[in-house]
Amino acid sequence: MQNSNTSSLVNRQIALILFGFILVMSIVGVASKVGISSLSTNNQRFEKTVHRNNEQYKQLVVMSDAIRDRMLIVYDIVHSNDIFEIDELAAKSNEKVRVFLAARDKLSKLGLTDEQMQQLDEQRKLLVKAQTILNSIIEQSLNEQALDSLSNIQDARQANTVVLQSLLDMQNYQNSQAKQELENAKELTRESGDSIFLLAIAAVLLSAIVVGIIIRHMRTQGQALDTALRQLEDNNQQLEARVKTRTEELLTMKADNMRMTAELDVGRQIQSIILPTAQELCNEPSLDIAAFMEPADEVGGDYYDVLKHDNGTYICIGDVTGHGLESGVLMLMTQSSVRSQLEHSSKDITTILSRVNETLYKNLQRMKSDKHLTLSLLNYKQANGHAELQLCGQHESMIIVRSNGSIEEIDTDALGFPAGLVESIEEYVAKTTVPLMKDDVAVLYTDGITEAADMKHNLYGIERLKNVISTNRQASAEHIKNNIIESVKQHIDKQTVFDDLTLVVLKQVA
C-alpha cells in the first residue's frame, strides 16, 4: 500500500510539473519582447540547459534500471537452492552495481550543485549497504540457520527502496532545476520582439510532446517498480513460511536424535551388563578362554556368553539385526532364555536352541518387532582324556587351528536358522562334533571382525584372521585375542567402525 501511494504521489508531482512547465513556456512565448539577436543568444543557452538536463535524465534512468534489475536478482537469489546459480546471480548483481556507479560518475560531471553531489554520495553509501546485505544473504541462503537471513532480506529491500526513492527525489530536483532555468529564460525572453511569437508557441508544443513522452516513460518505470516491490513482498512472505517450516522440522529432528541417543546408551549398557565376568571365563581348567567385545558408535547388537554347567561348558555367540533399544532387549532375552534352559530343561544344544527360538519368536511378536539374530551354541566336554566341541546354530563359521598349524573352517549354514524369525526351527537345527587335542585353538567371531573396512573400503576378511591365529597359535588365548584385535585395528586405521567387534578364543590346554 505504501509503495502504491508513493507511485501515485510521484505521478501527481510529475503532472503538476508538466502543467507548470507548459504554463511558463506559454507566458514566455506571449510576452517575448527580446530582439532576434538576443533571442539567438538565449536559445543557445537554453539548448545547453536542455541538453544537460537530458543527459542528467538519461543517467538517472540508467541508475534506476540498474537498481530495478538488481532487486529482481535478489528475488532470484532468495528462491534459488543451487549454489552455482547463486554465484552467477551474485556476479550479475555486482555488474548492476558497477553500471549504477558508472552512471553516477557521468552524472557528477554534468555540472551538479554541492547538494546534488552530496545526495549522489548518500545513494552510493546506501547501495554499498544493500550489496553488503545481499552478500550476507548469499552466504546464509543454504545454511540450516536460514531464519537469521530473514531480517537481512528485509534490510536489503528497505535499502534498495531508499536508493530508488533517492533517485525519484533526484529526478524531482532536476525538474525543479528545469523550472528555474525556464523562469530565467522567461526573464530574458521578455526583451524579445513579437516576431518570435509563433516560434515560441511551436517550441512550447514541441516541449509538451517531449515532456509527455518522458512522463509516459517514467509512469511505465513506476509501474514496473511497483510490480517488483509487490513481488519482493510476496517472496518475503514465502520465505518466512519456508523458514518457519524448516525450523519446525529441525526441532522434530532434534527430538528424534535425543531419543535415539538415549536408546543407544541403553543398548550399550545392556551389552555390558550381560557379558560374562573374568572369573566365569576361568571356570574350565582344561580350556583357556579369552573374549573381547567393543561396541561401535551405533550399537549393532553382538552377544556372547560362557556358562559353566554340570554337563560341561556352554559357549554362545550371536549378532542381532539392527541397533538401538530393541536390539539390546533381544540380547537380554536371549541370554536369559539360554540360562533358563540350562537350569531347568534339556542339556542338548539342539533342543536348547529350538526352545530359545520359540521364546524369542513369541516375545518379538508381542513387541511387534521384526528383529532376529544369528546364534550359535557350543558345548565343551572332556572325558577320558579326550575333549570335544559340539556346535549347532547358524552364525559365522568357526575356525580351528591345530597344534601342527593346519587350519579348518566349520561352516554353520546347515546347522540352524536365524533365531526369532519363525516360530519353529527344530527341523533346521543340527549339530556337529569337533575333537580338540592339546594346543588346538578354536575361534568364534561376528561379522564386525571380517567386514571391518579400511579407508579404501577393503574388508579385513577371513584369510587375514586365519593367518593371525596360525601365527600366534602357540601363545595363550589372551595373547591370540590381543593380536587379532591389534591386526584389525591396524587395518581399519582412521576409518569409522560401523559394527561391533566381538571375538571368543578357545585353546585346549590339557
Side-chain angles (χ1 to χ4, degrees):
M1 181 63 71
Q2 183 179 1
N3 296 331
S4 179
N5 291 337
T6 301
S7 178
S8 178
L9 178 61
V10 171
N11 289 336
R12 288 198 297 270
Q13 291 175 346
I14 292 173
L16 290 175
I17 292 171
L18 174 61
F19 178 79
F21 182 79
I22 294 175
L23 180 61
V24 170
M25 290 299 293
S26 298
I27 295 173
V28 171
V30 173
S32 294
K33 301 295 182 182
V34 182
I36 297 301
S37 60
S38 176
L39 179 63
S40 176
T41 302
N42 294 338
N43 283 340
Q44 290 177 0
R45 293 180 61 187
F46 181 74
E47 286 175 0
K48 290 181 180 180
T49 300
V50 171
H51 177 73
R52 184 186 64 188
N53 288 340
N54 286 339
E55 288 299 317
Q56 291 175 347
Y57 173 76
K58 289 179 182 178
Q59 299 308 318
L60 287 171
V61 169
V62 171
M63 294 165 69
S64 177
D65 288 345
I67 291 298
R68 182 203 61 197
D69 294 341
R70 187 175 168 278
M71 291 179 69
L72 294 177
I73 291 172
V74 172
Y75 166 77
D76 292 336
I77 289 175
V78 170
H79 280 266
S80 177
N81 291 323
D82 187 344
I83 188 170
F84 298 104
E85 183 181 8
I86 288 176
D87 289 340
E88 183 179 356
L89 291 172
K92 291 183 179 179
S93 175
N94 292 332
E95 180 60 27
K96 296 301 177 183
V97 172
R98 287 192 290 271
V99 171
F100 178 92
L101 295 177
R104 172 189 168 278
D105 292 338
K106 291 181 180 178
L107 190 59
S108 66
K109 297 176 181 179
L110 295 176
L112 299 181
T113 65
D114 293 339
E115 182 181 356
Q116 290 173 313
M117 288 299 297
Q118 183 178 3
Q119 191 174 20
L120 283 177
D121 189 63
E122 290 298 323
Q123 293 172 10
R124 180 189 63 78
K125 292 178 180 179
L126 287 171
L127 189 64
V128 171
K129 175 184 177 182
Q131 185 62 23
T132 302
I133 295 171
L134 176 59
N135 292 335
S136 175
I137 295 171
I138 294 170
E139 292 173 357
Q140 299 180 29
S141 60
L142 298 180
N143 194 289
E144 290 189 350
Q145 302 298 326
L147 183 61
D148 294 336
S149 68
L150 180 59
S151 62
N152 289 337
I153 296 170
Q154 184 66 22
D155 291 342
R157 183 170 70 89
Q158 291 176 355
N160 284 327
T161 302
V162 171
V163 174
L164 289 173
Q165 185 61 46
S166 298
L167 290 176
L168 291 175
D169 292 341
M170 176 66 79
Q171 182 61 42
N172 291 335
Y173 187 87
Q174 293 302 320
N175 288 333
S176 298
Q177 288 293 99
K179 178 179 178 181
Q180 185 62 42
E181 293 291 339
L182 291 173
E183 288 289 344
N184 295 336
K186 169 186 172 182
E187 294 295 329
L188 293 172
T189 54
R190 282 178 182 174
E191 300 175 2
S192 301
D194 294 335
S195 59
I196 63 170
F197 176 76
L198 293 177
L199 182 60
I201 294 298
V204 169
L205 294 176
L206 180 61
S207 299
I209 293 173
V210 172
V211 173
I213 294 173
I214 293 174
I215 290 175
R216 182 178 180 182
H217 178 72
M218 292 186 67
R219 181 175 290 121
T220 301
Q221 294 295 322
Q223 292 174 352
L225 178 59
D226 285 342
T227 300
L229 290 175
R230 285 195 298 270
Q231 289 178 347
L232 185 59
E233 187 66 28
D234 292 340
N235 296 339
N236 191 31
Q237 294 175 357
Q238 292 177 8
L239 180 60
E240 289 178 355
R242 290 175 61 188
V243 169
K244 181 179 180 181
T245 301
R246 181 57 177 165
T247 301
E248 293 174 352
E249 292 176 352
L250 290 175
L251 290 175
T252 301
M253 292 173 61
K254 181 178 180 180
D256 290 342
N257 286 338
M258 292 178 64
R259 177 184 56 80
M260 292 178 64
T261 300
E263 286 191 2
L264 292 176
D265 288 340
V266 172
R268 292 187 184 98
Q269 292 177 19
I270 291 175
Q271 277 186 313
S272 298
I273 62 178
I274 66 174
L275 295 179
T277 65
Q279 180 61 39
E280 289 177 302
L281 298 180
C282 300
N283 284 340
E284 181 60 59
S286 61
L287 193 63
D288 184 13
I289 304 176
F292 174 87
M293 185 173 75
E294 181 180 285
D297 291 338
E298 293 187 353
V299 181
D302 282 4
Y303 157 71
Y304 79 88
D305 205 353
V306 177
L307 302 171
K308 177 67 175 176
H309 201 267
D310 296 339
N311 196 39
T313 298
Y314 290 82
I315 301 103
C316 315
I317 189 167
D319 188 357
V320 181
T321 58
H323 60 269
L325 182 59
E326 286 188 5
S327 297
V329 170
L330 183 53
M331 285 189 296
L332 187 59
M333 289 190 299
T334 302
Q335 197 270 352
S336 299
S337 181
V338 171
R339 183 177 289 275
S340 176
Q341 291 296 323
L342 284 175
E343 296 294 336
H344 305 291
S345 186
S346 173
K347 306 304 182 293
D348 181 70
I349 56 176
T350 58
T351 303
I352 292 174
L353 183 59
S354 297
R355 292 178 179 176
V356 167
N357 173 78
E358 292 176 5
T359 300
L360 296 180
Y361 176 80
K362 292 176 181 179
N363 285 342
L364 289 171
Q365 292 300 304
R366 174 182 290 179
M367 294 166 56
K368 293 182 172 54
S369 172
D370 59 354
K371 301 285 185 181
H372 60 276
L373 77 157
T374 58
L375 179 64
S376 285
L377 298 181
L378 294 87
N379 181 205
Y380 172 80
K381 297 180 180 180
Q382 187 176 32
N384 301 323
H386 298 285
E388 64 180 21
L389 275 175
Q390 291 184 348
L391 169 66
C392 77
Q394 187 181 97
H395 185 62
E396 305 298 323
S397 60
M398 181 174 67
I399 299 175
I400 303 294
V401 177
R402 302 297 181 180
S403 59
N404 60 4
S406 62
I407 301 175
E408 302 172 15
E409 185 177 348
I410 312 300
D411 190 4
T412 62
D413 285 347
L415 300 180
F417 198 78
L421 195 59
V422 296
E423 184 172 4
S424 176
I425 62 172
E426 186 175 357
E427 61 180 302
Y428 304 107
V429 178
K431 66 180 177 181
T432 185
T433 301
V434 179
L436 289 181
M437 306 301 291
K438 186 177 184 301
D439 294 331
D440 287 348
V441 178
V443 176
L444 306 170
Y445 58 93
T446 59
D447 58 5
I449 297 289
T450 55
E451 294 180 6
D454 62 11
M455 299 300 293
K456 296 182 179 180
H457 305 290
N458 297 315
L459 302 184
Y460 183 74
I462 195 169
E463 294 303 322
R464 284 191 180 92
L465 178 59
K466 290 179 181 178
N467 183 60
V468 174
I469 299 170
S470 178
T471 301
N472 297 275
R473 66 183 185 277
Q474 296 179 351
S476 66
E478 181 71 16
H479 182 85
I480 295 172
K481 178 206 73 175
N482 291 338
N483 277 271
I484 293 173
I485 298 304
E486 182 180 357
S487 174
V488 173
K489 291 293 182 66
Q490 288 178 352
H491 176 77
I492 294 173
D493 195 16
K494 297 180 181 180
Q495 177 66 282
T496 301
V497 178
F498 296 103
D499 200 359
D500 296 351
L501 304 177
T502 302
L503 184 70
V504 179
V505 178
L506 311 173
K507 183 173 184 179
Q508 179 68 24
V509 295

Short mmCIF file of all heavy atoms in Angstrom, two decimals, residues 315-319 348-354 356-357 373-379 390-398 410-419 425-433 444-445:
data_model
loop_
_atom_site.label_atom_id
_atom_site.label_comp_id
_atom_site.label_asym_id
_atom_site.label_seq_id
_atom_site.Cartn_x
_atom_site.Cartn_y
_atom_site.Cartn_z
N ILE A 315 29.10 -72.31 25.41
CA ILE A 315 29.53 -71.02 24.84
C ILE A 315 28.49 -70.58 23.81
O ILE A 315 28.04 -71.40 22.99
CB ILE A 315 30.92 -71.13 24.16
CG1 ILE A 315 31.97 -71.59 25.18
CG2 ILE A 315 31.33 -69.81 23.53
CD1 ILE A 315 32.35 -73.03 25.05
N CYS A 316 28.09 -69.31 23.87
CA CYS A 316 27.10 -68.75 22.93
C CYS A 316 27.72 -67.54 22.22
O CYS A 316 28.46 -66.77 22.83
CB CYS A 316 25.84 -68.29 23.65
SG CYS A 316 25.20 -69.43 24.87
N ILE A 317 27.37 -67.37 20.97
CA ILE A 317 27.75 -66.16 20.25
C ILE A 317 26.65 -65.85 19.24
O ILE A 317 26.08 -66.75 18.61
CB ILE A 317 29.12 -66.32 19.55
CG1 ILE A 317 29.57 -64.98 18.99
CG2 ILE A 317 29.10 -67.40 18.47
CD1 ILE A 317 31.03 -64.94 18.57
N GLY A 318 26.30 -64.56 19.11
CA GLY A 318 25.23 -64.18 18.20
C GLY A 318 25.35 -62.73 17.77
O GLY A 318 26.14 -61.95 18.30
N ASP A 319 24.51 -62.35 16.81
CA ASP A 319 24.52 -60.99 16.26
C ASP A 319 23.08 -60.61 15.93
O ASP A 319 22.45 -61.21 15.06
CB ASP A 319 25.40 -60.93 15.01
CG ASP A 319 25.59 -59.49 14.52
OD1 ASP A 319 25.00 -58.56 15.11
OD2 ASP A 319 26.32 -59.30 13.53
N ASP A 348 20.89 -80.79 25.86
CA ASP A 348 21.28 -80.96 24.46
C ASP A 348 21.18 -79.61 23.74
O ASP A 348 20.15 -78.92 23.80
CB ASP A 348 20.36 -81.98 23.77
CG ASP A 348 20.75 -82.18 22.32
OD1 ASP A 348 21.82 -82.76 22.06
OD2 ASP A 348 19.97 -81.72 21.46
N ILE A 349 22.24 -79.21 23.06
CA ILE A 349 22.29 -77.86 22.49
C ILE A 349 21.27 -77.66 21.37
O ILE A 349 20.77 -76.55 21.18
CB ILE A 349 23.71 -77.52 21.99
CG1 ILE A 349 24.20 -78.56 20.97
CG2 ILE A 349 24.67 -77.39 23.15
CD1 ILE A 349 25.55 -78.22 20.37
N THR A 350 20.91 -78.72 20.63
CA THR A 350 19.90 -78.54 19.58
C THR A 350 18.54 -78.27 20.18
O THR A 350 17.76 -77.45 19.68
CB THR A 350 19.85 -79.77 18.67
OG1 THR A 350 19.56 -80.94 19.47
CG2 THR A 350 21.18 -79.99 17.96
N THR A 351 18.22 -78.98 21.28
CA THR A 351 16.94 -78.75 21.97
C THR A 351 16.91 -77.36 22.59
O THR A 351 15.90 -76.64 22.53
CB THR A 351 16.71 -79.81 23.05
OG1 THR A 351 16.76 -81.12 22.45
CG2 THR A 351 15.37 -79.61 23.72
N ILE A 352 18.03 -76.97 23.21
CA ILE A 352 18.11 -75.64 23.82
C ILE A 352 17.87 -74.56 22.77
O ILE A 352 17.08 -73.62 22.97
CB ILE A 352 19.48 -75.45 24.49
CG1 ILE A 352 19.61 -76.38 25.70
CG2 ILE A 352 19.68 -73.99 24.90
CD1 ILE A 352 20.99 -76.35 26.33
N LEU A 353 18.53 -74.68 21.61
CA LEU A 353 18.40 -73.67 20.57
C LEU A 353 16.97 -73.59 20.05
O LEU A 353 16.43 -72.50 19.84
CB LEU A 353 19.37 -73.97 19.43
CG LEU A 353 19.40 -72.95 18.28
CD1 LEU A 353 19.77 -71.57 18.80
CD2 LEU A 353 20.36 -73.40 17.19
N SER A 354 16.30 -74.74 19.87
CA SER A 354 14.93 -74.74 19.37
C SER A 354 13.99 -74.05 20.35
O SER A 354 13.12 -73.25 19.96
CB SER A 354 14.47 -76.18 19.12
OG SER A 354 15.25 -76.78 18.11
N VAL A 356 14.83 -71.88 22.76
CA VAL A 356 15.17 -70.45 22.83
C VAL A 356 14.51 -69.70 21.67
O VAL A 356 13.98 -68.60 21.84
CB VAL A 356 16.69 -70.27 22.82
CG1 VAL A 356 17.05 -68.80 22.57
CG2 VAL A 356 17.30 -70.74 24.12
N ASN A 357 14.53 -70.30 20.48
CA ASN A 357 13.90 -69.67 19.32
C ASN A 357 12.42 -69.44 19.55
O ASN A 357 11.87 -68.39 19.21
CB ASN A 357 14.13 -70.53 18.07
CG ASN A 357 13.35 -70.00 16.88
OD1 ASN A 357 13.74 -69.03 16.24
ND2 ASN A 357 12.23 -70.65 16.57
N LEU A 373 18.14 -62.76 15.18
CA LEU A 373 19.59 -62.83 15.35
C LEU A 373 20.13 -64.16 14.84
O LEU A 373 19.41 -65.17 14.85
CB LEU A 373 19.98 -62.63 16.81
CG LEU A 373 19.79 -63.80 17.80
CD1 LEU A 373 20.71 -63.64 18.99
CD2 LEU A 373 18.35 -63.91 18.25
N THR A 374 21.38 -64.11 14.39
CA THR A 374 22.11 -65.36 14.14
C THR A 374 22.69 -65.81 15.47
O THR A 374 23.21 -64.99 16.23
CB THR A 374 23.21 -65.15 13.11
OG1 THR A 374 24.11 -64.14 13.57
CG2 THR A 374 22.63 -64.68 11.77
N LEU A 375 22.63 -67.12 15.75
CA LEU A 375 23.03 -67.61 17.08
C LEU A 375 23.62 -69.01 16.96
O LEU A 375 23.02 -69.90 16.37
CB LEU A 375 21.82 -67.63 18.02
CG LEU A 375 22.06 -68.14 19.44
CD1 LEU A 375 23.02 -67.21 20.19
CD2 LEU A 375 20.73 -68.24 20.19
N SER A 376 24.82 -69.17 17.51
CA SER A 376 25.45 -70.49 17.59
C SER A 376 25.65 -70.87 19.05
O SER A 376 26.03 -70.01 19.87
CB SER A 376 26.81 -70.50 16.88
OG SER A 376 26.65 -70.50 15.47
N LEU A 377 25.39 -72.17 19.38
CA LEU A 377 25.60 -72.70 20.72
C LEU A 377 26.67 -73.79 20.64
O LEU A 377 26.65 -74.62 19.73
CB LEU A 377 24.31 -73.28 21.29
CG LEU A 377 23.13 -72.31 21.48
CD1 LEU A 377 21.94 -73.06 22.07
CD2 LEU A 377 23.53 -71.15 22.37
N LEU A 378 27.59 -73.78 21.61
CA LEU A 378 28.64 -74.79 21.68
C LEU A 378 28.63 -75.42 23.07
O LEU A 378 28.37 -74.75 24.07
CB LEU A 378 30.02 -74.19 21.42
CG LEU A 378 30.32 -73.63 20.03
CD1 LEU A 378 29.88 -72.17 19.94
CD2 LEU A 378 31.82 -73.75 19.71
N ASN A 379 28.91 -76.74 23.10
CA ASN A 379 29.03 -77.45 24.37
C ASN A 379 30.41 -78.11 24.40
O ASN A 379 30.73 -78.98 23.58
CB ASN A 379 27.92 -78.49 24.49
CG ASN A 379 27.98 -79.26 25.80
OD1 ASN A 379 27.50 -80.38 25.88
ND2 ASN A 379 28.57 -78.69 26.85
N GLN A 390 30.82 -79.59 20.67
CA GLN A 390 29.61 -79.80 19.90
C GLN A 390 29.09 -78.41 19.49
O GLN A 390 28.98 -77.50 20.30
CB GLN A 390 28.55 -80.53 20.72
CG GLN A 390 28.90 -81.99 21.02
CD GLN A 390 27.79 -82.70 21.76
OE1 GLN A 390 26.85 -82.08 22.24
NE2 GLN A 390 27.90 -84.02 21.83
N LEU A 391 28.76 -78.27 18.22
CA LEU A 391 28.37 -76.96 17.66
C LEU A 391 27.05 -77.06 16.92
O LEU A 391 26.85 -78.00 16.13
CB LEU A 391 29.47 -76.46 16.69
CG LEU A 391 29.15 -75.25 15.82
CD1 LEU A 391 28.97 -73.99 16.68
CD2 LEU A 391 30.24 -75.04 14.78
N CYS A 392 26.11 -76.12 17.17
CA CYS A 392 24.87 -76.04 16.41
C CYS A 392 24.47 -74.58 16.27
O CYS A 392 24.94 -73.71 17.00
CB CYS A 392 23.74 -76.84 17.08
SG CYS A 392 23.01 -76.03 18.51
N GLY A 393 23.56 -74.31 15.33
CA GLY A 393 23.08 -72.95 15.12
C GLY A 393 23.79 -72.25 13.99
O GLY A 393 24.97 -72.48 13.73
N GLN A 394 23.06 -71.38 13.30
CA GLN A 394 23.59 -70.68 12.14
C GLN A 394 24.21 -69.33 12.55
O GLN A 394 23.54 -68.47 13.11
CB GLN A 394 22.48 -70.43 11.11
CG GLN A 394 22.97 -69.85 9.80
CD GLN A 394 21.82 -69.60 8.85
OE1 GLN A 394 21.34 -68.49 8.76
NE2 GLN A 394 21.37 -70.63 8.16
N HIS A 395 25.50 -69.18 12.27
CA HIS A 395 26.22 -67.93 12.56
C HIS A 395 27.44 -67.91 11.65
O HIS A 395 27.49 -68.62 10.64
CB HIS A 395 26.60 -67.89 14.05
CG HIS A 395 27.24 -66.60 14.48
ND1 HIS A 395 26.60 -65.40 14.41
CD2 HIS A 395 28.49 -66.35 14.96
CE1 HIS A 395 27.40 -64.45 14.85
NE2 HIS A 395 28.56 -64.99 15.18
N GLU A 396 28.43 -67.09 11.96
CA GLU A 396 29.68 -67.11 11.21
C GLU A 396 30.39 -68.45 11.43
O GLU A 396 30.14 -69.15 12.42
CB GLU A 396 30.60 -65.97 11.67
CG GLU A 396 29.98 -64.58 11.61
CD GLU A 396 29.61 -64.17 10.20
OE1 GLU A 396 30.37 -64.52 9.26
OE2 GLU A 396 28.57 -63.50 10.03
N SER A 397 31.26 -68.81 10.50
CA SER A 397 31.96 -70.09 10.60
C SER A 397 32.89 -70.10 11.82
O SER A 397 33.31 -69.06 12.31
CB SER A 397 32.78 -70.35 9.33
OG SER A 397 33.73 -69.32 9.15
N MET A 398 33.20 -71.30 12.32
CA MET A 398 34.15 -71.46 13.42
C MET A 398 35.50 -71.87 12.82
O MET A 398 35.57 -72.78 11.98
CB MET A 398 33.67 -72.50 14.42
CG MET A 398 34.62 -72.69 15.60
SD MET A 398 33.95 -73.80 16.89
CE MET A 398 33.94 -75.38 16.01
N ILE A 410 34.76 -74.46 9.99
CA ILE A 410 33.50 -75.17 10.18
C ILE A 410 32.35 -74.26 9.77
O ILE A 410 32.05 -73.27 10.45
CB ILE A 410 33.32 -75.63 11.64
CG1 ILE A 410 34.60 -76.33 12.15
CG2 ILE A 410 32.10 -76.51 11.77
CD1 ILE A 410 34.99 -77.54 11.36
N ASP A 411 31.72 -74.57 8.64
CA ASP A 411 30.58 -73.77 8.15
C ASP A 411 29.33 -74.10 8.97
O ASP A 411 29.05 -75.27 9.25
CB ASP A 411 30.34 -74.09 6.68
CG ASP A 411 29.35 -73.14 6.04
OD1 ASP A 411 28.90 -72.20 6.72
OD2 ASP A 411 29.01 -73.33 4.84
N THR A 412 28.56 -73.06 9.34
CA THR A 412 27.38 -73.27 10.19
C THR A 412 26.05 -73.08 9.44
O THR A 412 24.99 -73.12 10.05
CB THR A 412 27.40 -72.30 11.39
OG1 THR A 412 27.35 -70.95 10.91
CG2 THR A 412 28.66 -72.49 12.21
N ASP A 413 26.12 -72.84 8.13
CA ASP A 413 24.88 -72.58 7.38
C ASP A 413 23.89 -73.73 7.48
O ASP A 413 22.67 -73.50 7.51
CB ASP A 413 25.20 -72.31 5.91
CG ASP A 413 25.80 -70.93 5.70
OD1 ASP A 413 25.74 -70.11 6.64
OD2 ASP A 413 26.35 -70.66 4.61
N ALA A 414 24.39 -74.97 7.51
CA ALA A 414 23.49 -76.13 7.56
C ALA A 414 23.16 -76.56 8.98
O ALA A 414 22.51 -77.60 9.19
CB ALA A 414 24.12 -77.29 6.80
N LEU A 415 23.58 -75.80 9.99
CA LEU A 415 23.39 -76.20 11.38
C LEU A 415 22.26 -75.46 12.08
O LEU A 415 22.07 -75.62 13.29
CB LEU A 415 24.69 -75.98 12.17
CG LEU A 415 25.91 -76.75 11.67
CD1 LEU A 415 27.12 -76.43 12.55
CD2 LEU A 415 25.64 -78.26 11.65
N GLY A 416 21.50 -74.63 11.34
CA GLY A 416 20.42 -73.94 12.02
C GLY A 416 19.75 -72.91 11.14
O GLY A 416 19.85 -72.94 9.89
N PHE A 417 19.04 -71.99 11.80
CA PHE A 417 18.25 -70.96 11.13
C PHE A 417 18.25 -69.74 12.03
O PHE A 417 18.35 -69.87 13.25
CB PHE A 417 16.81 -71.48 10.92
CG PHE A 417 16.03 -70.72 9.90
CD1 PHE A 417 16.23 -70.94 8.55
CD2 PHE A 417 15.08 -69.78 10.28
CE1 PHE A 417 15.51 -70.24 7.60
CE2 PHE A 417 14.36 -69.08 9.35
CZ PHE A 417 14.56 -69.31 7.99
N PRO A 418 18.17 -68.50 11.49
CA PRO A 418 18.15 -67.31 12.35
C PRO A 418 17.08 -67.39 13.43
O PRO A 418 15.93 -67.74 13.16
CB PRO A 418 17.87 -66.16 11.37
CG PRO A 418 18.42 -66.64 10.07
CD PRO A 418 18.17 -68.12 10.04
N ALA A 419 17.44 -67.10 14.66
CA ALA A 419 16.53 -67.24 15.79
C ALA A 419 15.55 -66.06 15.84
O ALA A 419 15.94 -64.92 15.62
CB ALA A 419 17.32 -67.31 17.10
N ILE A 425 12.15 -73.82 14.50
CA ILE A 425 13.30 -74.09 13.63
C ILE A 425 13.85 -75.50 13.91
O ILE A 425 14.97 -75.81 13.50
CB ILE A 425 14.40 -73.04 13.85
CG1 ILE A 425 14.91 -73.07 15.29
CG2 ILE A 425 13.93 -71.65 13.47
CD1 ILE A 425 16.14 -72.21 15.53
N GLU A 426 13.07 -76.30 14.60
CA GLU A 426 13.56 -77.61 15.03
C GLU A 426 14.04 -78.45 13.86
O GLU A 426 15.06 -79.15 13.94
CB GLU A 426 12.44 -78.34 15.79
CG GLU A 426 12.90 -79.66 16.41
CD GLU A 426 11.81 -80.30 17.27
OE1 GLU A 426 10.74 -79.68 17.41
OE2 GLU A 426 12.05 -81.41 17.77
N GLU A 427 13.32 -78.41 12.72
CA GLU A 427 13.70 -79.24 11.58
C GLU A 427 14.98 -78.75 10.90
O GLU A 427 15.59 -79.47 10.11
CB GLU A 427 12.56 -79.26 10.55
CG GLU A 427 12.22 -77.89 9.99
CD GLU A 427 11.08 -77.96 8.98
OE1 GLU A 427 11.25 -78.71 7.98
OE2 GLU A 427 10.05 -77.30 9.18
N TYR A 428 15.38 -77.50 11.19
CA TYR A 428 16.59 -76.95 10.56
C TYR A 428 17.83 -77.12 11.43
O TYR A 428 18.95 -76.94 10.95
CB TYR A 428 16.41 -75.46 10.27
CG TYR A 428 15.20 -75.13 9.42
CD1 TYR A 428 14.08 -74.53 9.98
CD2 TYR A 428 15.19 -75.45 8.06
CE1 TYR A 428 12.97 -74.22 9.21
CE2 TYR A 428 14.07 -75.16 7.29
CZ TYR A 428 12.97 -74.55 7.87
OH TYR A 428 11.87 -74.25 7.10
N VAL A 429 17.64 -77.41 12.71
CA VAL A 429 18.76 -77.43 13.64
C VAL A 429 19.49 -78.76 13.59
O VAL A 429 18.87 -79.83 13.67
CB VAL A 429 18.28 -77.13 15.08
CG1 VAL A 429 19.46 -77.20 16.05
CG2 VAL A 429 17.63 -75.76 15.14
N ALA A 430 20.81 -78.69 13.48
CA ALA A 430 21.65 -79.89 13.52
C ALA A 430 22.92 -79.54 14.29
O ALA A 430 23.18 -78.37 14.59
CB ALA A 430 21.99 -80.34 12.10
N LYS A 431 23.70 -80.56 14.62
CA LYS A 431 24.94 -80.30 15.34
C LYS A 431 26.07 -81.12 14.76
O LYS A 431 25.85 -82.14 14.10
CB LYS A 431 24.77 -80.58 16.82
CG LYS A 431 24.53 -82.04 17.17
CD LYS A 431 24.37 -82.21 18.68
CE LYS A 431 24.06 -83.66 19.05
NZ LYS A 431 23.88 -83.82 20.51
N THR A 432 27.26 -80.62 14.99
CA THR A 432 28.46 -81.32 14.55
C THR A 432 29.44 -81.35 15.71
O THR A 432 29.40 -80.48 16.59
CB THR A 432 29.10 -80.61 13.33
OG1 THR A 432 30.19 -81.39 12.85
CG2 THR A 432 29.59 -79.22 13.69
N THR A 433 30.28 -82.35 15.73
CA THR A 433 31.24 -82.53 16.83
C THR A 433 32.66 -82.35 16.30
O THR A 433 33.03 -82.94 15.27
CB THR A 433 31.09 -83.91 17.48
OG1 THR A 433 29.76 -84.06 17.99
CG2 THR A 433 32.09 -84.07 18.62
N LEU A 444 35.73 -68.07 17.61
CA LEU A 444 34.39 -67.63 17.22
C LEU A 444 34.42 -66.11 17.08
O LEU A 444 35.12 -65.41 17.81
CB LEU A 444 33.36 -68.02 18.28
CG LEU A 444 33.32 -69.51 18.66
CD1 LEU A 444 32.45 -69.72 19.89
CD2 LEU A 444 32.82 -70.35 17.49
N TYR A 445 33.63 -65.56 16.15
CA TYR A 445 33.67 -64.11 15.89
C TYR A 445 32.35 -63.68 15.27
O TYR A 445 31.53 -64.51 14.82
CB TYR A 445 34.83 -63.80 14.93
CG TYR A 445 34.72 -64.54 13.62
CD1 TYR A 445 34.09 -63.98 12.51
CD2 TYR A 445 35.23 -65.85 13.49
CE1 TYR A 445 33.97 -64.68 11.33
CE2 TYR A 445 35.12 -66.56 12.33
CZ TYR A 445 34.49 -65.97 11.23
OH TYR A 445 34.35 -66.67 10.06
#
